[in-house]
Amino acid sequence: MDNDCDGIDGKITTAVFVSVSGSDIANLVCTKNQPCRTIDYAQDTAVVLGLNDVYISAGVYTGGVELTTGMDLYGGYSTTWERDSNELAGHRVTF
C-alpha cells in the first residue's frame, strides 16, 4: 500500500532498487527508473547514498547475497514496482 503517495509501497526516498533487467555498470543511483542488477551492488550503493532499504523486483538473482548490517531488503515487487505476496506469479524473488 502506498501510504505516502510517492508511487510505491514503501518509501522511495530511503531506497535503492534492483531488477534483473537493471545494470550495475556506471549506476551510481539505483533508482526505480534506473535499477541496479545485483542485490550486493544495490546494498553498496545504498550505503554510499546513506539509504537503508533495498526494493527487489521479481526475478531470479544468481551469485548469492551478502547482507549488509543495517540494510533492509524487500521483495514481492513486480517489474512495474507494484508490491504483493512473493508467492504470486510476477512477484516472486529468488536468490
Side-chain angles (χ1 to χ4, degrees), residues 12-95:
I12 202 167
T13 58
T14 64
V16 294
F17 295 77
V18 183
S19 170
V20 293
S21 63
S23 176
D24 293 346
I25 299 170
N27 189 347
L28 305 176
V29 291
C30 300
T31 62
K32 179 179 169 186
N33 295 324
Q34 187 181 346
C36 297
R37 168 69 180 94
T38 62
I39 297 168
D40 284 343
Y41 186 87
Q43 289 184 101
D44 291 345
T45 301
V47 168
V48 169
L49 297 174
L51 307 174
N52 61 339
D53 295 333
V54 177
Y55 297 158
I56 308 164
S57 74
V60 176
Y61 297 86
T62 59
V65 175
E66 184 175 332
L67 298 177
T68 299
T69 301
M71 196 67 53
D72 294 317
L73 307 181
Y74 298 93
Y77 289 95
S78 69
T79 57
T80 58
W81 299 106
E82 294 177 34
R83 192 162 188 224
D84 211 322
S85 171
N86 195 43
E87 296 301 314
L88 292 177
H91 293 268
R92 181 167 292 147
V93 174
T94 306
F95 49 86

